[in-house]
Amino acid sequence: MNLLTRLLAPRSVAFAHCDGPCGVYDPASARIAAEAVLSMEKKIAGLGDGQDAATVNTRTRFIAIKEQQAEIVKKELDILWHDYFKPEHLEKFPNLHDTFWKAAKLASKNKTEQDPANGEALMGAIEEIHKIFWATKNRDVAFYRANP
Amino acid sequence: MDDGRERRRALAPGSLAMLAPILLVTAVAAWASLRFRGFAVAGNSMLPTLAEGDWVLVDERAYRGRLPRRGHIVIADDPRLPGRQLVKRVEAIDLHRQVMLAGDNPEESTDSRHFGPVRSQTLRGRVRWRYWPLARFGPVR
């Protein structure tokens, strides 16, 4: 058998490839980005209406970061939605698609507007996803915020 | 003495019958080795269709003058690492011969979702047959 396998062994390798760390999912990455969005919205509100150059520059910077982070939220939610969740999860949580759709819509709203209320709503949506996610793994993981 | 010789002669047709399948297998193996190229599968992105350690036969002439089609399992040059070949399934092909590749196990696959479409010219061939392990010998679809 040894000789046979040596004769038959292919000389080339085809990679059914996956970049690490595959199979590692956690809504925490969406939560962290959403917290950054909320934080920026609060900072933008804290700046007030000042139109001097320094304030305008700072506001612009906060807006740029907010939009970047909101985009990261959307990307992280997408990864959970279409890579982690499977049809059997949908059977158990029929509102799964709706939850993700609304969360993604909220992320978009956070991109275009500056109201911290949107950030809070986004955090709520991610908490909802957090609950569903850990329920599919039969684990009881508490939702928390880095900036309470 | 006579008895022994008779027994030997009686054995001859039987051993030929045993040799025939071996010859046939050898002939098929020789033909396959000329017609196909063997690849060993590494990684989990094509589960459950292909598993780590599977040995498959790849038709390198499959796309000479023919386009890949949705559903084919193909060997493609890794767009991100020259010299490495990937095994993935064709998810879609457009008019410009841009091919979207996907793993059968999306949870553990790096594919066109990450690196985008690849040109059909970068496909090396089509995976047709698994020949090892013998327990899972057969066509790959």
Side-chain angles (χ1 to χ4, degrees), chain B residues 33-104:
Chain B
S33 72
L34 292 172
R35 181 71 181 81
F36 297 100
R37 185 178 162 102
F39 278 87
V41 175
N44 295 323
S45 79
M46 286 302 288
L47 286 172
T49 315
L50 296 173
E52 163 100 27
D54 279 2
W55 292 351
V56 294
L57 295 177
V58 173
D59 179 3
E60 291 186 297
R61 298 183 225 167
Y63 303 126
R64 284 187 197 166
R66 254 168 305 168
L67 284 175
R69 298 182 60 170
R70 179 183 159 82
H72 286 186
I73 296 181
V74 299
I75 302 291
D77 287 331
D78 187 334
R80 302 197 299 186
L81 193 68
R84 183 163 78 173
Q85 272 93 48
L86 303 177
V87 55
K88 300 286 173 190
R89 194 183 287 277
V90 174
E91 192 173 57
I93 174 164
D94 71 10
L95 288 170
H96 307 290
R97 302 185 176 183
Q98 296 277 324
V99 179
M100 293 296 283
L101 300 173
D104 282 4

Side-chain angles (χ1 to χ4, degrees), chain A residues 33 41 47 61 75 84 89 108 146:
Chain A
E41 285 163 347
L47 275 180
R61 190 171 127 77
K75 192 178 168 231
Y84 172 72
H89 297 141
S108 294

Side-chain angles (χ1 to χ4, degrees), chain A residues 1 4-6 8-20 22-23 25 82-86, chain B residues 37-46 55 75 80 84-88 107-110 113 131-132:
Chain A
M1 216 49 161
L4 183 65
T5 50
R6 211 179 309 147
L8 290 174
R11 278 171 203 90
S12 312
V13 176
F15 289 87
H17 176 61
C18 175
D19 290 344
C22 274
Y25 297 99
H82 57 230
D83 288 356
Y84 172 72
F85 283 103
K86 294 198 166 54
Chain B
R37 185 178 162 102
F39 278 87
V41 175
N44 295 323
S45 79
M46 286 302 288
W55 292 351
I75 302 291
R80 302 197 299 186
R84 183 163 78 173
Q85 272 93 48
L86 303 177
V87 55
K88 300 286 173 190
E107 199 174 311
E108 285 186 66
S109 178
T110 301
R113 291 173 301 170
Y131 67 97
W132 200 268

